[in-house]
Structures are given as structure tokens and as C-alpha cells.
Amino acid sequence: MRVFVLNKRGKPLMPCSPAKARHLLKEKKAIVVRRTPFTIQLTIATGESKQPVSLGVDAGYKYVGLSASTEKAELYASEVELRQGITDLLSARRALRRARRNRKTRYRAPRFDNRIRTKRKGWLAPSVENRINAHLSRIETVLRMLPVTKITVETASFDMQLLKDPDISGKEYQEGEQLGFWNVREYVLFRDGHVCQHCHGRLKDPVLNVHHLKSRRTGGDSPGNLITLCETCHKALHRGEITLKAKRGQSFRAETFMGIMRREVLDRLKASHPKLEVQNTYGYRTKHARISNGIAKSHCADAFCIAGNLGAKRLGEFLFQKQTRRNNRQIHKLSILKGSLRKRNQAPFEVKGFRLFDKVAYQGEEGFIFGRRSSGFFDIRRLDGTRISAGINYKKLRLLEKRRTYLPEIRTAVARRPRPEGRGLRA
């Protein structure tokens, strides 16, 4: 990967080769700013010749692809894996807060008007806001390393009802599956024929319950997550005596997020960078460009096609980044140990001079600290889960980089896919 260069004032210049960077560092004309991706800052004033740089952004629910290129060469390629456990953490926090208030302030008056969504226009759920901020954060990082002149973001909108029913049309869009029913429970009972879906009425239990196939805090109250069970089977299920074969229906969480963020990211980029050219594109254009140029499918490849410089020479590697949790303020574990003791959930800030997710080197291999023990033996792994050592002494480790919110790792890019013969593509 190329070496990114900043001028004396910290503004981005065009990247240089590793050989030129070595000469600048050896002659004390530059200093190292960041190790991954390798970035230097000049200590002398130089001319600033720049080229038009286009940045392509493949927005997504779980992964984000980024690629910056000129007409001749790709300068930067990155793939970011976003956090997926925010909904679980928010739900756990809500449950703990409600239990605490019930114990401490049992007669506390309800305060429905104090919610932030009633005070601020444009409020978004924290899980959605985090992903949008992650997109903007990664884009800002590229803008601080390269003199980008144009940003292109791939957006998409999904027809949820068409995904559920491919034959829907006309006024059927106004007549959903729950039309004519008082609530979701009544619809689910009708859909299942008022019969237990496990014993199918063999136990003769007249009391019917509606069960969540997946936890309500993560699966929601949609009909696809609900099933009819008699009370006998329902209690046996929660005791762990039986298991259900039914699975949760299709979830449209990712599609919903893309529908929310498609305009939000563009609007925020235009507001924060009015001098840059910010535009959007669509998935069918990206797919056509990728297939017609014989490029293998990946998030970085999509971002390269979105940038628009299809004749540029691609990089042989890309920067993989994994988003991690920055803070954990939970004091104790939820499970109570013997003696009515709660184990502390917060580990020490540093153990033998190392923090969690610090990047270290061990016997020529680079990895991250995924687990620490007070004795000084650590669990070292790569970001894909490959374990380098389950328990290595801290004296044998060499610190490379302090932990950050986004853990960086250089990976080899996917090879070019051969173009199929005898098959044409229509524009």
C-alpha cells in the first residue's frame, strides 16, 4: 500500500512510494504520524501538486467499502466491519434501568414528555445513528489522508412489501397482511388457525399463547417472529423440555437501515463539505461496471467501481478495519456468584503495560490482544479470529500500536475474476 503524505500544516498531499518515504525519513525531512496505514508528515515546505481524486463509498448495514483513486491508479482501499451488538446493549441497559427504578423508586411518576425524540427534530435510534456516524468517520479519515475532490456514495431503497410478496401491485400496497385485525396477536392466532404449532392440538389445552421465536428485544413484535403455542407447550418450552422447529421469518432490519441512511449520509456530507462534489449512485450501475470489467465481488471492489475510475490500476491489498466498543461502564456482571457476590465487569485499564485490543508483534506475526490475565499471559488473535497464541507472556510481546476504535489490519485483495465468454451485457 502507498505511503500517505501530509504537508507541514497537516494537510493531505498525494501519496508517495515506500522508497521515497524512507529517504525523507532518513534525511529528517519527515516524521511518522501513523503506522497503519503508514502516514508521514513533512517538516519542510514543499510544492503541492495535486491530482483529482475520487472517493467511492459502498454503504452497508454490516460492512462499508471505501476506495479512492485517480484516473491512473487506486490510492486507497478499505473494508470496515461495523458493530452489530448495539441493540442488545441498549435493551440490556433498559431492562436494568427499569428493574433498578422499580426497586429504588417504586412510585416514581411516569415522564413520557421527557424523551429526547419529542424535543429534537430528526432524531434517529442510537443503533442507526452509530452506523451513520461510522460511515462519516471513515470518510473523514480518508479526507484527512488524501486530497479528495469528489465523493460518490452508493445508496439504495427497498420495497419491503414487494420483498414479502413479489406479486403485489396497485391498491394491495394499502391492504397489508394485518388488514381487518385488531392487533398482531389476533392476526397470528388467525394465521395459525387457532392451533398450537408444536403439538397441533394433541394436548387438548384450550389456552393459547403467542410466543416470540427470537427475543423480543432483538426480534421485535413482527408476525414473522411470533408463533401460536398452547399454554402447556409454552411453559415446557421455557423450561427447556421441548424445542421448536419453526424459525423466525425474514428480517428486514438491514433494508430498513439503508432506507433511513441513504439520504442522511449525503445530506451530512454536503453540509460539512460544501466545496466538495458529493453525489450518489445506485447498485445496478455498480453491478454492471463490476461484471463488465471482470472484477471479483467484494466491498472494496464495489467501492472501486463507484469511484468511477475503472481504468485505474488496482492495489493488491486493502485495509481491513473492525469497529470495537470504546467504553464499558458496567461495573458488575449480571450473574451472581456463590456468597451473593457479583464479579467485577471492568478489567484494569492496563495489565503489564498493555490494553485490550492493542496491536502487538510475536515471533514475526502481528495480532491483537483479545484477552488478558492479571498474571501477564495474553490471548493474541487476528481480526478474523485466527488464534496466534492462547497464552503468551507479556515479556515476549512488542507493542506496535495502541488500541483504537477501528482496529486496522492489512489483507490481500481478491484476485480478478475472468470475464465469462459468450455472454453479453445489456446497458
Side-chain angles (χ1 to χ4, degrees), residues 72-129:
K72 295 182 179 180
E74 186 179 23
L75 307 178
Y76 176 85
S78 174
E79 181 178 309
V80 186
E81 182 179 349
L82 304 179
R83 291 176 60 188
Q84 301 298 313
I86 295 177
T87 304
D88 290 339
L89 293 174
L90 292 173
S91 300
R93 185 183 68 176
R94 181 177 65 246
L96 293 172
R97 180 177 65 246
R98 289 178 176 178
R100 181 176 65 253
R101 286 179 176 173
N102 184 58
R103 295 193 311 269
K104 306 290 185 180
T105 55
R106 186 172 301 175
Y107 303 106
R108 179 179 181 273
R111 301 174 184 177
F112 303 108
D113 295 335
N114 290 356
R115 301 299 177 256
I116 191 65
R117 65 176 67 93
T118 64
K119 297 181 179 181
R120 188 173 65 203
K121 186 179 180 180
W123 177 89
L124 295 173
S127 57
V128 177
E129 188 72 32

Tab-separated table of all heavy atoms in Angstrom, residues 72-129:
chain	number	residue	atom	x	y	z
A	72	LYS	N	-5.309	7.045	-13.094
A	72	LYS	CA	-4.259	6.075	-13.384
A	72	LYS	C	-4.148	4.962	-12.351
A	72	LYS	O	-3.833	3.822	-12.694
A	72	LYS	CB	-2.906	6.794	-13.497
A	72	LYS	CG	-2.820	7.754	-14.673
A	72	LYS	CD	-1.436	8.381	-14.753
A	72	LYS	CE	-1.339	9.319	-15.950
A	72	LYS	NZ	0.014	9.936	-16.048
A	73	ALA	N	-4.376	5.264	-11.069
A	73	ALA	CA	-4.098	4.262	-10.033
A	73	ALA	C	-5.040	4.414	-8.859
A	73	ALA	O	-5.545	5.514	-8.569
A	73	ALA	CB	-2.648	4.372	-9.555
A	74	GLU	N	-5.287	3.282	-8.176
A	74	GLU	CA	-6.040	3.282	-6.931
A	74	GLU	C	-5.082	3.621	-5.796
A	74	GLU	O	-4.015	3.011	-5.667
A	74	GLU	CB	-6.685	1.915	-6.691
A	74	GLU	CG	-7.595	1.876	-5.481
A	74	GLU	CD	-8.226	0.506	-5.283
A	74	GLU	OE1	-7.651	-0.487	-5.791
A	74	GLU	OE2	-9.273	0.419	-4.617
A	75	LEU	N	-5.460	4.588	-4.975
A	75	LEU	CA	-4.582	5.078	-3.918
A	75	LEU	C	-4.917	4.489	-2.556
A	75	LEU	O	-4.031	4.369	-1.697
A	75	LEU	CB	-4.664	6.611	-3.835
A	75	LEU	CG	-4.417	7.372	-5.132
A	75	LEU	CD1	-4.586	8.858	-4.896
A	75	LEU	CD2	-3.037	7.062	-5.683
A	76	TYR	N	-6.163	4.131	-2.354
A	76	TYR	CA	-6.596	3.678	-1.028
A	76	TYR	C	-7.761	2.713	-1.189
A	76	TYR	O	-8.659	2.936	-2.001
A	76	TYR	CB	-7.022	4.878	-0.170
A	76	TYR	CG	-7.571	4.533	1.190
A	76	TYR	CD1	-6.733	4.333	2.276
A	76	TYR	CD2	-8.948	4.415	1.399
A	76	TYR	CE1	-7.229	4.023	3.527
A	76	TYR	CE2	-9.459	4.114	2.649
A	76	TYR	CZ	-8.595	3.921	3.712
A	76	TYR	OH	-9.101	3.613	4.948
A	77	ALA	N	-7.740	1.616	-0.430
A	77	ALA	CA	-8.835	0.641	-0.430
A	77	ALA	C	-9.028	0.148	0.990
A	77	ALA	O	-8.063	-0.200	1.677
A	77	ALA	CB	-8.526	-0.528	-1.361
A	78	SER	N	-10.274	0.143	1.436
A	78	SER	CA	-10.549	-0.237	2.817
A	78	SER	C	-11.901	-0.916	2.914
A	78	SER	O	-12.823	-0.629	2.136
A	78	SER	CB	-10.520	1.001	3.728
A	78	SER	OG	-10.913	0.667	5.039
A	79	GLU	N	-12.011	-1.837	3.879
A	79	GLU	CA	-13.266	-2.503	4.202
A	79	GLU	C	-13.454	-2.439	5.707
A	79	GLU	O	-12.573	-2.842	6.471
A	79	GLU	CB	-13.247	-3.954	3.732
A	79	GLU	CG	-14.528	-4.711	4.008
A	79	GLU	CD	-14.488	-6.130	3.482
A	79	GLU	OE1	-14.141	-6.303	2.295
A	79	GLU	OE2	-14.795	-7.055	4.256
A	80	VAL	N	-14.593	-1.922	6.145
A	80	VAL	CA	-14.863	-1.694	7.564
A	80	VAL	C	-16.000	-2.602	8.015
A	80	VAL	O	-17.055	-2.636	7.369
A	80	VAL	CB	-15.225	-0.215	7.827
A	80	VAL	CG1	-15.357	0.040	9.321
A	80	VAL	CG2	-14.192	0.711	7.210
A	81	GLU	N	-15.774	-3.326	9.099
A	81	GLU	CA	-16.820	-4.152	9.710
A	81	GLU	C	-17.407	-3.384	10.890
A	81	GLU	O	-16.705	-3.046	11.845
A	81	GLU	CB	-16.249	-5.483	10.187
A	81	GLU	CG	-17.301	-6.405	10.801
A	81	GLU	CD	-16.735	-7.734	11.263
A	81	GLU	OE1	-15.570	-8.027	10.929
A	81	GLU	OE2	-17.450	-8.473	11.970
A	82	LEU	N	-18.711	-3.099	10.829
A	82	LEU	CA	-19.376	-2.288	11.848
A	82	LEU	C	-19.845	-3.145	13.017
A	82	LEU	O	-19.978	-4.364	12.906
A	82	LEU	CB	-20.571	-1.553	11.229
A	82	LEU	CG	-20.272	-0.673	10.017
A	82	LEU	CD1	-21.556	-0.026	9.513
A	82	LEU	CD2	-19.246	0.395	10.368
A	83	ARG	N	-20.110	-2.492	14.125
A	83	ARG	CA	-20.612	-3.182	15.318
A	83	ARG	C	-22.047	-3.648	15.084
A	83	ARG	O	-22.843	-2.967	14.440
A	83	ARG	CB	-20.570	-2.247	16.526
A	83	ARG	CG	-19.183	-1.917	17.009
A	83	ARG	CD	-19.236	-0.918	18.142
A	83	ARG	NE	-19.996	-1.437	19.268
A	83	ARG	CZ	-20.330	-0.713	20.337
A	83	ARG	NH1	-19.993	0.557	20.393
A	83	ARG	NH2	-21.009	-1.258	21.318
A	84	GLN	N	-22.377	-4.825	15.668
A	84	GLN	CA	-23.705	-5.386	15.485
A	84	GLN	C	-24.443	-5.612	16.804
A	84	GLN	O	-25.589	-6.047	16.802
A	84	GLN	CB	-23.597	-6.729	14.753
A	84	GLN	CG	-22.944	-6.644	13.380
A	84	GLN	CD	-23.712	-5.779	12.423
A	84	GLN	OE1	-24.930	-5.884	12.290
A	84	GLN	NE2	-22.996	-4.882	11.742
A	85	GLY	N	-23.806	-5.338	17.943
A	85	GLY	CA	-24.428	-5.662	19.227
A	85	GLY	C	-25.006	-4.486	19.964
A	85	GLY	O	-25.272	-4.572	21.168
A	86	ILE	N	-25.215	-3.358	19.281
A	86	ILE	CA	-25.683	-2.155	19.971
A	86	ILE	C	-27.117	-2.332	20.464
A	86	ILE	O	-27.466	-1.918	21.574
A	86	ILE	CB	-25.573	-0.943	19.039
A	86	ILE	CG1	-24.099	-0.681	18.718
A	86	ILE	CG2	-26.200	0.296	19.659
A	86	ILE	CD1	-23.861	0.427	17.756
A	87	THR	N	-27.961	-2.976	19.676
A	87	THR	CA	-29.350	-3.195	20.077
A	87	THR	C	-29.428	-4.034	21.345
A	87	THR	O	-30.219	-3.738	22.259
A	87	THR	CB	-30.132	-3.875	18.945
A	87	THR	OG1	-30.036	-3.085	17.753
A	87	THR	CG2	-31.594	-4.024	19.319
A	88	ASP	N	-28.614	-5.086	21.437
A	88	ASP	CA	-28.595	-5.917	22.636
A	88	ASP	C	-28.153	-5.119	23.856
A	88	ASP	O	-28.718	-5.255	24.948
A	88	ASP	CB	-27.656	-7.110	22.441
A	88	ASP	CG	-28.202	-8.111	21.444
A	88	ASP	OD1	-29.424	-8.095	21.212
A	88	ASP	OD2	-27.426	-8.903	20.901
A	89	LEU	N	-27.139	-4.287	23.696
A	89	LEU	CA	-26.644	-3.499	24.825
A	89	LEU	C	-27.689	-2.484	25.284
A	89	LEU	O	-27.882	-2.284	26.490
A	89	LEU	CB	-25.359	-2.782	24.417
A	89	LEU	CG	-24.147	-3.679	24.145
A	89	LEU	CD1	-22.989	-2.851	23.610
A	89	LEU	CD2	-23.732	-4.431	25.396
A	90	LEU	N	-28.362	-1.843	24.353
A	90	LEU	CA	-29.394	-0.880	24.716
A	90	LEU	C	-30.563	-1.565	25.430
A	90	LEU	O	-31.122	-1.032	26.401
A	90	LEU	CB	-29.892	-0.150	23.467
A	90	LEU	CG	-28.897	0.798	22.798
A	90	LEU	CD1	-29.464	1.300	21.489
A	90	LEU	CD2	-28.558	1.955	23.707
A	91	SER	N	-30.932	-2.753	24.958
A	91	SER	CA	-32.038	-3.480	25.581
A	91	SER	C	-31.664	-3.951	26.983
A	91	SER	O	-32.481	-3.896	27.907
A	91	SER	CB	-32.424	-4.678	24.710
A	91	SER	OG	-32.828	-4.253	23.431
A	92	ALA	N	-30.423	-4.418	27.156
A	92	ALA	CA	-29.979	-4.829	28.486
A	92	ALA	C	-29.947	-3.641	29.438
A	92	ALA	O	-30.341	-3.756	30.611
A	92	ALA	CB	-28.604	-5.482	28.394
A	93	ARG	N	-29.500	-2.507	28.941
A	93	ARG	CA	-29.469	-1.305	29.782
A	93	ARG	C	-30.875	-0.875	30.187
A	93	ARG	O	-31.121	-0.486	31.349
A	93	ARG	CB	-28.771	-0.169	29.025
A	93	ARG	CG	-28.580	1.081	29.865
A	93	ARG	CD	-27.960	2.198	29.065
A	93	ARG	NE	-28.869	2.707	28.043
A	93	ARG	CZ	-28.598	3.743	27.250
A	93	ARG	NH1	-27.430	4.355	27.344
A	93	ARG	NH2	-29.464	4.133	26.340
A	94	ARG	N	-31.825	-0.983	29.261
A	94	ARG	CA	-33.200	-0.614	29.578
A	94	ARG	C	-33.786	-1.534	30.635
A	94	ARG	O	-34.453	-1.079	31.576
A	94	ARG	CB	-34.051	-0.665	28.303
A	94	ARG	CG	-35.505	-0.280	28.546
A	94	ARG	CD	-36.317	-0.256	27.271
A	94	ARG	NE	-36.423	-1.569	26.682
A	94	ARG	CZ	-35.885	-1.913	25.519
A	94	ARG	NH1	-35.185	-1.027	24.843
A	94	ARG	NH2	-36.032	-3.127	25.036
A	95	ALA	N	-33.517	-2.846	30.514
A	95	ALA	CA	-34.034	-3.795	31.493
A	95	ALA	C	-33.450	-3.542	32.884
A	95	ALA	O	-34.169	-3.574	33.895
A	95	ALA	CB	-33.732	-5.219	31.044
A	96	LEU	N	-32.148	-3.276	32.944
A	96	LEU	CA	-31.514	-2.992	34.235
A	96	LEU	C	-32.029	-1.686	34.822
A	96	LEU	O	-32.247	-1.582	36.042
A	96	LEU	CB	-30.000	-2.929	34.061
A	96	LEU	CG	-29.313	-4.248	33.701
A	96	LEU	CD1	-27.852	-4.003	33.368
A	96	LEU	CD2	-29.432	-5.236	34.843
A	97	ARG	N	-32.234	-0.684	33.988
A	97	ARG	CA	-32.724	0.606	34.484
A	97	ARG	C	-34.138	0.466	35.046
A	97	ARG	O	-34.445	1.001	36.118
A	97	ARG	CB	-32.700	1.635	33.354
A	97	ARG	CG	-33.183	3.014	33.771
A	97	ARG	CD	-33.080	4.015	32.644
A	97	ARG	NE	-33.963	3.671	31.545
A	97	ARG	CZ	-33.548	3.317	30.336
A	97	ARG	NH1	-32.265	3.219	30.086
A	97	ARG	NH2	-34.411	3.038	29.381
A	98	ARG	N	-34.985	-0.261	34.360
A	98	ARG	CA	-36.364	-0.430	34.841
A	98	ARG	C	-36.409	-1.229	36.142
A	98	ARG	O	-37.189	-0.912	37.050
A	98	ARG	CB	-37.191	-1.124	33.760
A	98	ARG	CG	-37.469	-0.224	32.558
A	98	ARG	CD	-38.252	-0.949	31.488
A	98	ARG	NE	-38.600	-0.051	30.395
A	98	ARG	CZ	-39.252	-0.425	29.295
A	98	ARG	NH1	-39.605	-1.702	29.145
A	98	ARG	NH2	-39.536	0.447	28.350
A	99	ALA	N	-35.556	-2.253	36.238
A	99	ALA	CA	-35.523	-3.030	37.476
A	99	ALA	C	-34.998	-2.190	38.634
A	99	ALA	O	-35.516	-2.265	39.758
A	99	ALA	CB	-34.648	-4.266	37.283
A	100	ARG	N	-34.008	-1.372	38.365
A	100	ARG	CA	-33.443	-0.516	39.423
A	100	ARG	C	-34.461	0.516	39.886
A	100	ARG	O	-34.618	0.761	41.089
A	100	ARG	CB	-32.190	0.168	38.902
A	100	ARG	CG	-31.504	1.067	39.923
A	100	ARG	CD	-30.217	1.655	39.378
A	100	ARG	NE	-30.441	2.554	38.262
A	100	ARG	CZ	-30.146	2.263	36.999
A	100	ARG	NH1	-29.629	1.089	36.676
A	100	ARG	NH2	-30.364	3.144	36.047
A	101	ARG	N	-35.180	1.118	38.953
A	101	ARG	CA	-36.174	2.129	39.337
A	101	ARG	C	-37.344	1.488	40.083
A	101	ARG	O	-37.946	2.114	40.958
A	101	ARG	CB	-36.669	2.866	38.091
A	101	ARG	CG	-35.636	3.838	37.540
A	101	ARG	CD	-36.127	4.528	36.293
A	101	ARG	NE	-35.151	5.530	35.834
A	101	ARG	CZ	-35.257	6.192	34.694
A	101	ARG	NH1	-36.281	5.967	33.891
A	101	ARG	NH2	-34.344	7.079	34.355
A	102	ASN	N	-37.658	0.249	39.723
A	102	ASN	CA	-38.736	-0.434	40.432
A	102	ASN	C	-38.332	-0.726	41.874
A	102	ASN	O	-39.174	-0.699	42.782
A	102	ASN	CB	-39.085	-1.737	39.716
A	102	ASN	CG	-40.272	-2.443	40.343
A	102	ASN	OD1	-41.361	-1.877	40.428
A	102	ASN	ND2	-40.049	-3.660	40.813
A	103	ARG	N	-37.037	-0.995	42.101
A	103	ARG	CA	-36.565	-1.250	43.460
A	103	ARG	C	-36.382	0.030	44.259
A	103	ARG	O	-36.788	0.116	45.419
A	103	ARG	CB	-35.216	-1.994	43.413
A	103	ARG	CG	-35.257	-3.365	42.820
A	103	ARG	CD	-33.976	-4.122	43.117
A	103	ARG	NE	-32.784	-3.343	42.821
A	103	ARG	CZ	-32.159	-3.348	41.654
A	103	ARG	NH1	-32.642	-4.083	40.658
A	103	ARG	NH2	-31.070	-2.619	41.462
A	104	LYS	N	-35.794	1.044	43.626
A	104	LYS	CA	-35.420	2.261	44.347
A	104	LYS	C	-36.571	3.253	44.447
A	104	LYS	O	-36.783	3.867	45.493
A	104	LYS	CB	-34.225	2.927	43.643
A	104	LYS	CG	-33.021	2.028	43.438
A	104	LYS	CD	-32.336	1.714	44.750
A	104	LYS	CE	-31.071	0.911	44.501
A	104	LYS	NZ	-30.362	0.576	45.756
A	105	THR	N	-37.278	3.466	43.333
A	105	THR	CA	-38.356	4.470	43.304
A	105	THR	C	-39.614	3.809	42.753
A	105	THR	O	-39.983	4.023	41.609
A	105	THR	CB	-37.944	5.670	42.436
A	105	THR	OG1	-37.577	5.172	41.141
A	105	THR	CG2	-36.764	6.400	43.031
A	106	ARG	N	-40.243	3.015	43.584
A	106	ARG	CA	-41.381	2.224	43.122
A	106	ARG	C	-42.536	3.100	42.672
A	106	ARG	O	-43.297	2.740	41.778
A	106	ARG	CB	-41.828	1.296	44.247
A	106	ARG	CG	-42.908	0.321	43.844
A	106	ARG	CD	-43.153	-0.687	44.928
A	106	ARG	NE	-41.953	-1.445	45.242
A	106	ARG	CZ	-41.887	-2.327	46.237
A	106	ARG	NH1	-42.927	-2.524	47.024
A	106	ARG	NH2	-40.780	-2.986	46.458
A	107	TYR	N	-42.689	4.270	43.291
A	107	TYR	CA	-43.826	5.129	42.970
A	107	TYR	C	-43.402	6.338	42.144
A	107	TYR	O	-44.028	7.387	42.222
A	107	TYR	CB	-44.503	5.583	44.275
A	107	TYR	CG	-44.943	4.420	45.130
A	107	TYR	CD1	-44.240	4.092	46.276
A	107	TYR	CD2	-46.026	3.620	44.753
A	107	TYR	CE1	-44.614	3.005	47.051
A	107	TYR	CE2	-46.407	2.528	45.522
A	107	TYR	CZ	-45.697	2.232	46.664
A	107	TYR	OH	-46.069	1.150	47.435
A	108	ARG	N	-42.366	6.162	41.387
A	108	ARG	CA	-41.889	7.251	40.538
A	108	ARG	C	-42.911	7.553	39.444
A	108	ARG	O	-43.382	6.664	38.752
A	108	ARG	CB	-40.547	6.853	39.909
A	108	ARG	CG	-39.930	7.872	38.985
A	108	ARG	CD	-38.600	7.327	38.479
A	108	ARG	NE	-37.918	8.246	37.596
A	108	ARG	CZ	-38.118	8.316	36.293
A	108	ARG	NH1	-38.990	7.519	35.712
A	108	ARG	NH2	-37.442	9.172	35.548
A	109	ALA	N	-43.247	8.819	39.280
A	109	ALA	CA	-44.249	9.217	38.288
A	109	ALA	C	-43.708	9.029	36.882
A	109	ALA	O	-42.517	9.247	36.629
A	109	ALA	CB	-44.640	10.673	38.501
A	110	PRO	N	-44.537	8.615	35.921
A	110	PRO	CA	-44.076	8.459	34.531
A	110	PRO	C	-43.729	9.812	33.914
A	110	PRO	O	-44.372	10.819	34.216
A	110	PRO	CB	-45.276	7.815	33.831
A	110	PRO	CG	-46.449	8.188	34.666
A	110	PRO	CD	-45.950	8.254	36.083
A	111	ARG	N	-42.730	9.812	33.061
A	111	ARG	CA	-42.267	11.058	32.447
A	111	ARG	C	-42.184	10.878	30.933
A	111	ARG	O	-41.105	10.850	30.350
A	111	ARG	CB	-40.902	11.444	33.022
A	111	ARG	CG	-40.952	11.624	34.544
A	111	ARG	CD	-39.576	11.851	35.131
A	111	ARG	NE	-39.644	11.924	36.587
A	111	ARG	CZ	-38.572	12.054	37.388
A	111	ARG	NH1	-37.371	12.115	36.856
A	111	ARG	NH2	-38.708	12.111	38.684
A	112	PHE	N	-43.310	10.740	30.313
A	112	PHE	CA	-43.347	10.453	28.882
A	112	PHE	C	-42.863	11.627	28.043
A	112	PHE	O	-42.361	11.458	26.935
A	112	PHE	CB	-44.768	10.078	28.466
A	112	PHE	CG	-45.335	8.911	29.214
A	112	PHE	CD1	-46.315	9.087	30.159
A	112	PHE	CD2	-44.856	7.633	28.989
A	112	PHE	CE1	-46.832	8.008	30.859
A	112	PHE	CE2	-45.368	6.550	29.679
A	112	PHE	CZ	-46.365	6.743	30.624
A	113	ASP	N	-43.026	12.841	28.575
A	113	ASP	CA	-42.670	14.024	27.794
A	113	ASP	C	-41.177	14.356	27.860
A	113	ASP	O	-40.739	15.322	27.251
A	113	ASP	CB	-43.472	15.238	28.290
A	113	ASP	CG	-44.951	15.064	28.040
A	113	ASP	OD1	-45.288	14.308	27.110
A	113	ASP	OD2	-45.761	15.661	28.771
A	114	ASN	N	-40.419	13.572	28.594
A	114	ASN	CA	-39.001	13.877	28.762
A	114	ASN	C	-38.126	13.169	27.735
A	114	ASN	O	-36.905	13.244	27.825
A	114	ASN	CB	-38.527	13.468	30.167
A	114	ASN	CG	-39.124	14.373	31.239
A	114	ASN	OD1	-39.809	15.335	30.923
A	114	ASN	ND2	-38.874	14.055	32.485
A	115	ARG	N	-38.713	12.450	26.819
A	115	ARG	CA	-37.919	11.705	25.857
A	115	ARG	C	-37.342	12.645	24.803
A	115	ARG	O	-38.011	13.571	24.337
A	115	ARG	CB	-38.766	10.615	25.194
A	115	ARG	CG	-39.350	9.611	26.177
A	115	ARG	CD	-38.250	8.881	26.935
A	115	ARG	NE	-38.796	7.984	27.926
A	115	ARG	CZ	-38.818	8.230	29.227
A	115	ARG	NH1	-38.341	9.370	29.682
A	115	ARG	NH2	-39.314	7.347	30.073
A	116	ILE	N	-36.118	12.353	24.418
A	116	ILE	CA	-35.403	13.258	23.509
A	116	ILE	C	-36.072	13.313	22.140
A	116	ILE	O	-36.017	14.325	21.445
A	116	ILE	CB	-33.928	12.833	23.388
A	116	ILE	CG1	-33.106	13.902	22.679
A	116	ILE	CG2	-33.809	11.503	22.657
A	116	ILE	CD1	-33.020	15.190	23.430
A	117	ARG	N	-36.734	12.231	21.733
A	117	ARG	CA	-37.348	12.215	20.408
A	117	ARG	C	-38.483	13.225	20.302
A	117	ARG	O	-38.872	13.617	19.203
A	117	ARG	CB	-37.850	10.809	20.076
A	117	ARG	CG	-38.956	10.302	20.943
A	117	ARG	CD	-39.449	8.940	20.454
A	117	ARG	NE	-38.431	7.931	20.626
A	117	ARG	CZ	-38.328	7.155	21.703
A	117	ARG	NH1	-39.176	7.317	22.721
A	117	ARG	NH2	-37.392	6.245	21.793
A	118	THR	N	-39.038	13.628	21.453
A	118	THR	CA	-40.111	14.624	21.422
A	118	THR	C	-39.562	16.037	21.411
A	118	THR	O	-40.307	16.982	21.195
A	118	THR	CB	-41.029	14.445	22.639
A	118	THR	OG1	-40.265	14.703	23.840
A	118	THR	CG2	-41.599	13.059	22.692
A	119	LYS	N	-38.272	16.189	21.651
A	119	LYS	CA	-37.683	17.524	21.748
A	119	LYS	C	-36.890	17.914	20.507
A	119	LYS	O	-36.756	19.082	20.198
A	119	LYS	CB	-36.754	17.605	22.968
A	119	LYS	CG	-37.457	17.410	24.298
A	119	LYS	CD	-36.458	17.534	25.438
A	119	LYS	CE	-37.144	17.361	26.785
A	119	LYS	NZ	-36.186	17.493	27.905
A	120	ARG	N	-36.295	16.938	19.822
A	120	ARG	CA	-35.382	17.250	18.731
A	120	ARG	C	-35.890	16.659	17.421
A	120	ARG	O	-36.145	15.457	17.337
A	120	ARG	CB	-33.995	16.704	19.051
A	120	ARG	CG	-32.931	17.147	18.071
A	120	ARG	CD	-31.561	16.700	18.542
A	120	ARG	NE	-31.464	15.240	18.556
A	120	ARG	CZ	-30.602	14.569	19.304
A	120	ARG	NH1	-29.804	15.219	20.116
A	120	ARG	NH2	-30.546	13.253	19.250
A	121	LYS	N	-36.012	17.503	16.431
A	121	LYS	CA	-36.458	17.042	15.122
A	121	LYS	C	-35.323	16.302	14.427
A	121	LYS	O	-34.165	16.687	14.515
A	121	LYS	CB	-36.904	18.229	14.282
A	121	LYS	CG	-37.514	17.837	12.949
A	121	LYS	CD	-37.970	19.056	12.175
A	121	LYS	CE	-38.585	18.668	10.851
A	121	LYS	NZ	-39.036	19.842	10.067
A	122	GLY	N	-35.658	15.216	13.739
A	122	GLY	CA	-34.646	14.437	13.051
A	122	GLY	C	-33.949	13.418	13.936
A	122	GLY	O	-32.876	12.928	13.574
A	123	TRP	N	-34.543	13.107	15.086
A	123	TRP	CA	-33.940	12.121	15.996
A	123	TRP	C	-33.914	10.746	15.339
A	123	TRP	O	-34.859	10.338	14.663
A	123	TRP	CB	-34.736	12.061	17.293
A	123	TRP	CG	-34.242	11.036	18.271
A	123	TRP	CD1	-33.299	11.203	19.231
A	123	TRP	CD2	-34.680	9.683	18.381
A	123	TRP	NE1	-33.113	10.046	19.943
A	123	TRP	CE2	-33.939	9.089	19.440
A	123	TRP	CE3	-35.604	8.905	17.704
A	123	TRP	CZ2	-34.121	7.770	19.820
A	123	TRP	CZ3	-35.781	7.585	18.084
A	123	TRP	CH2	-35.037	7.031	19.130
A	124	LEU	N	-32.806	10.027	15.511
A	124	LEU	CA	-32.669	8.664	14.995
A	124	LEU	C	-32.318	7.733	16.140
A	124	LEU	O	-31.720	8.146	17.140
A	124	LEU	CB	-31.569	8.608	13.925
A	124	LEU	CG	-31.822	9.393	12.645
A	124	LEU	CD1	-30.582	9.367	11.765
A	124	LEU	CD2	-33.016	8.850	11.889
A	125	ALA	N	-32.675	6.470	15.997
A	125	ALA	CA	-32.360	5.473	17.011
A	125	ALA	C	-30.845	5.373	17.183
A	125	ALA	O	-30.091	5.527	16.219
A	125	ALA	CB	-32.942	4.115	16.615
A	126	PRO	N	-30.359	5.103	18.404
A	126	PRO	CA	-28.912	5.037	18.637
A	126	PRO	C	-28.197	4.024	17.748
A	126	PRO	O	-27.069	4.260	17.320
A	126	PRO	CB	-28.802	4.658	20.114
A	126	PRO	CG	-30.070	5.133	20.721
A	126	PRO	CD	-31.111	4.970	19.655
A	127	SER	N	-28.844	2.887	17.474
A	127	SER	CA	-28.205	1.884	16.625
A	127	SER	C	-28.023	2.395	15.199
A	127	SER	O	-27.011	2.117	14.543
A	127	SER	CB	-29.036	0.596	16.625
A	127	SER	OG	-30.367	0.858	16.206
A	128	VAL	N	-28.993	3.169	14.710
A	128	VAL	CA	-28.898	3.754	13.366
A	128	VAL	C	-27.894	4.906	13.360
A	128	VAL	O	-27.069	5.036	12.444
A	128	VAL	CB	-30.281	4.234	12.893
A	128	VAL	CG1	-30.182	4.918	11.538
A	128	VAL	CG2	-31.257	3.072	12.830
A	129	GLU	N	-27.945	5.738	14.400
A	129	GLU	CA	-27.039	6.879	14.493
A	129	GLU	C	-25.585	6.424	14.541
A	129	GLU	O	-24.702	7.050	13.937
A	129	GLU	CB	-27.376	7.698	15.743
A	129	GLU	CG	-26.640	9.017	15.848
A	129	GLU	CD	-27.149	10.051	14.855
A	129	GLU	OE1	-28.353	10.030	14.530
A	129	GLU	OE2	-26.326	10.870	14.393
